[in-house]
Amino acid sequence: MSAVTSDTNKDRIFIFDTTLRDGEQSPGATMTLEEKLQVAEALDEMGVDIIEAGFPIASNGDFEAVVAVAKRAKNSVIAGLARAIPADIDRAAEAVRHAPRGRIHTFVSTSPIHLAHQMRKTQDEVLEIISKTVAQARNLIDDVEWSAMDATRTPIEYLMRCVEAAIKAGATTINLPDTVGYAIPEEHFQMFKTIIEKVPGADKAIFSTHCHNDLGLAVANSLAGVRGGARQIECTINGLGERAGNAALEEVVMALRTRGDAMPYQTQIETTHLARASKIVSAAANFPVQYNKAIVGKNAFAHESGIHQDGMLKNAETYEIMTPASVGIKETTLVMGKHSGRAAFKDKLKELGYELGDNAFQEAFVRFKDLADRKKHVYDADIVALVDDEVGSVGDRIRIVAMEVVSKIGGVHKCDMTLTIDGEETSVSYEGTGSVDAIFNAIKQAVGQEPNLVLYAVDGVTGGTDAQASAHVRLEMNGRIVSGNAAEPDTLVASARAYLNAYNRLLIERGAAAQGAMAG
């Protein structure tokens, strides 16, 4: 890879997306195989240079997911993560060999606290591990990335020795992650600048940032790393990731594009795909995007202040430094109705970025017609919510058949519900302290398990009293956290379906990842 483009004379920044690996490690963000493939396709079409598709050694499911993504890749390099362990590296190589272009991304801890308490190795022992495992990876594939886990808390002299060893062993990309979100921008800039200037052979590798957002500095640190000489940024859609998340791809990309005067760098990301990618990931991971999220949040281009509205009416540039269209956001428009046919609905789905199989299309169309009968105005946002909800419920073992809720102020709140569980119908009745309490407890009674409700929230997909309600539920059971979403014109039905969506995710068999095995 060349880090400079001759036609613009701007340094090329490679975008490495780890939504499917580091992003999925966020508690409750587990995705099904079909959801991962949908996310990967969106990333590939958007122009992401490298997609880290997973951690192949973690489980058979993770391995198969990386293989599936690799087989469908058209443009992106597909990377598999591996610890500095021979079996991990072999497994990653086996998974990514199906891609037109594959990469092994191997890592090892380098900071004193990690060496003492996690690795239980000396500095010299770690240097030997780096040399052997990077060489092993390079013998299997030409594209090898090496990461120094907890680089920002590693003494610079030792970090330089580790980087030199990795480059000598054949690493083509060197990643220096801020694993715990500890760095500040000036430190991050100086770390990259010093290592690139002083390590022998540094010019033979591309340097990479991977920043976590524990102090809210992930994007700022990533850009500081670029200023210090890094030419790859590791990030995730919506900033998804462990703890407070990773640097958000959409924020990094639009910062570089909007402030090209101060940062003379460019990416190959098609920015008009950003809003769609955000929605796909939000639906797949069941993680709602906060309203005030930069670039892709619901309020990112909304103006309520009278002064701001006055300025916007006179000239949009008074309060907007980028246009909604530049990131793929357009005004909510009335587009479909109850008289719209299959062909029109299919065209609208294509316009919104969806290509559904026959069965999924038919189910979505039936739900659309039902929504159009009940809701006066059907907007693009309604259709997006409807289809994302449909895709997220494919393969559910528990489905709702019928529900009746009775609620009285100062009186009884009762839910009568009929469900199918693995194809068998069952009916339950429960009285709760409120309507939602009765619904959720009725489901628990029918299934016979007691997950802990971590989060329950509802918001409107569009404006108006007939707006679809978008419900969000997060459940925890036996140390595992999952999330569920659903959209319906009826708030109580949306709540029930969101709870069931999360419940179904708890039932998905998924191998446990190796403890302490995740980089970044």
Side-chain angles (χ1 to χ4, degrees), residues 1-14:
M1 291 182 177
S2 170
V4 179
T5 52
S6 57
D7 56 337
T8 65
N9 201 34
K10 285 187 175 182
D11 278 14
R12 166 91 143 81
I13 303 300
F14 296 99

Side-chain angles (χ1 to χ4, degrees), residues 184-242:
I184 60 174
E186 188 57 34
E187 291 174 348
H188 217 50
F189 159 77
Q190 195 60 53
M191 177 185 72
F192 278 97
K193 185 174 185 293
T194 299
I195 287 176
I196 291 170
E197 287 178 352
K198 293 187 177 182
V199 171
D203 59 324
K204 298 176 183 177
I206 289 177
F207 281 76
S208 175
T209 73
H210 179 118
C211 299
H212 280 262
N213 206 38
D214 298 71
L215 295 177
L217 295 171
V219 170
N221 282 332
S222 297
L223 297 175
V226 167
R227 193 164 58 89
R231 291 297 177 265
Q232 175 178 290
I233 298 176
E234 304 196 0
C235 44
T236 62
I237 298 294
N238 297 336
L240 196 66
E242 289 189 279

Side-chain angles (χ1 to χ4, degrees), residues 199-321:
V199 171
D203 59 324
K204 298 176 183 177
I206 289 177
F207 281 76
S208 175
T209 73
H210 179 118
C211 299
H212 280 262
N213 206 38
D214 298 71
L215 295 177
L217 295 171
V219 170
N221 282 332
S222 297
L223 297 175
V226 167
R227 193 164 58 89
R231 291 297 177 265
Q232 175 178 290
I233 298 176
E234 304 196 0
C235 44
T236 62
I237 298 294
N238 297 336
L240 196 66
E242 289 189 279
R243 304 184 312 279
N246 291 53
L249 182 150
E250 59 277 0
E251 295 178 24
V252 166
V253 168
M254 290 308 293
L256 291 173
R257 172 174 165 161
T258 305
R259 291 307 311 275
D261 58 327
M263 296 178 286
Y265 315 108
Q266 70 169 20
T267 74
Q268 69 171 17
I269 298 296
E270 177 50 64
T271 63
T272 57
H273 290 209
L274 290 172
R276 181 73 200 110
S278 171
K279 288 183 174 68
I280 289 172
V281 170
S282 177
N286 279 303
F287 262 54
V289 176
Q290 67 194 63
Y291 282 14
N292 64 331
K293 168 77 173 62
I295 314 301
V296 293
K298 185 179 287 189
N299 289 351
F301 295 96
H303 303 271
E304 185 170 332
S305 161
I307 295 174
H308 285 216
Q309 289 176 348
D310 178 67
M312 285 293 297
L313 290 171
K314 292 172 179 174
N315 187 325
E317 291 184 7
T318 54
Y319 288 102
E320 284 186 354
I321 59 174

Side-chain angles (χ1 to χ4, degrees), residues 7-327:
D7 56 337
T8 65
N9 201 34
K10 285 187 175 182
D11 278 14
R12 166 91 143 81
I13 303 300
F14 296 99
I15 298 298
F16 177 114
D17 184 276
T18 183
T19 302
L20 296 176
R21 197 279 299 171
D22 205 337
E24 206 204 11
Q25 288 172 217
S26 186
T30 300
M31 303 178 205
T32 65
L33 176 59
E34 285 304 314
E35 288 167 339
K36 288 183 179 181
L37 290 173
Q38 187 183 19
V39 170
E41 183 178 4
L43 297 174
D44 199 18
E45 290 177 352
M46 188 167 63
V48 166
D49 298 289
I50 305 100
I51 298 172
E52 188 165 53
F55 185 31
I57 198 70
S59 69
N60 288 333
D62 276 25
F63 175 81
E64 294 300 333
V66 177
V67 170
V69 170
K71 286 180 176 179
R72 291 203 189 182
K74 295 178 181 178
N75 305 303
S76 303
V77 173
I78 304 302
L81 185 69
R83 293 167 298 182
I85 297 173
D88 279 40
I89 292 169
D90 286 340
R91 190 69 164 161
E94 174 63 20
V96 303
R97 72 178 178 83
H98 300 278
R101 294 182 295 157
R103 171 181 294 189
I104 295 174
H105 178 197
T106 184
F107 69 95
V108 70
S109 294
T110 56
S111 69
I113 191 169
H114 278 222
L115 264 59
H117 299 287
Q118 186 172 13
M119 293 288 293
R120 300 183 188 276
K121 301 284 186 184
T122 66
Q123 289 188 348
D124 287 341
E125 286 173 330
V126 169
L127 284 168
E128 185 177 353
I129 289 170
I130 293 168
S131 297
K132 286 183 177 179
T133 53
V134 171
Q136 176 195 353
R138 186 58 191 269
N139 284 334
L140 295 169
I141 200 166
D142 290 335
D143 190 347
V144 176
E145 177 171 340
W146 174 78
S147 288
M149 188 153 74
D150 207 20
T152 53
R153 294 194 296 175
T154 301
I156 193 71
E157 293 298 329
Y158 180 61
L159 186 58
M160 287 193 291
R161 291 173 64 197
C162 292
V163 170
E164 183 178 2
I167 293 173
K168 282 184 177 179
T172 51
T173 299
I174 299 295
N175 182 39
L176 303 178
D178 185 22
T179 304
V180 294
Y182 180 74
I184 60 174
E186 188 57 34
E187 291 174 348
H188 217 50
F189 159 77
Q190 195 60 53
M191 177 185 72
F192 278 97
K193 185 174 185 293
T194 299
I195 287 176
I196 291 170
E197 287 178 352
K198 293 187 177 182
V199 171
D203 59 324
K204 298 176 183 177
I206 289 177
F207 281 76
S208 175
T209 73
H210 179 118
C211 299
H212 280 262
N213 206 38
D214 298 71
L215 295 177
L217 295 171
V219 170
N221 282 332
S222 297
L223 297 175
V226 167
R227 193 164 58 89
R231 291 297 177 265
Q232 175 178 290
I233 298 176
E234 304 196 0
C235 44
T236 62
I237 298 294
N238 297 336
L240 196 66
E242 289 189 279
R243 304 184 312 279
N246 291 53
L249 182 150
E250 59 277 0
E251 295 178 24
V252 166
V253 168
M254 290 308 293
L256 291 173
R257 172 174 165 161
T258 305
R259 291 307 311 275
D261 58 327
M263 296 178 286
Y265 315 108
Q266 70 169 20
T267 74
Q268 69 171 17
I269 298 296
E270 177 50 64
T271 63
T272 57
H273 290 209
L274 290 172
R276 181 73 200 110
S278 171
K279 288 183 174 68
I280 289 172
V281 170
S282 177
N286 279 303
F287 262 54
V289 176
Q290 67 194 63
Y291 282 14
N292 64 331
K293 168 77 173 62
I295 314 301
V296 293
K298 185 179 287 189
N299 289 351
F301 295 96
H303 303 271
E304 185 170 332
S305 161
I307 295 174
H308 285 216
Q309 289 176 348
D310 178 67
M312 285 293 297
L313 290 171
K314 292 172 179 174
N315 187 325
E317 291 184 7
T318 54
Y319 288 102
E320 284 186 354
I321 59 174
M322 64 196 107
T323 66
S326 69
V327 300

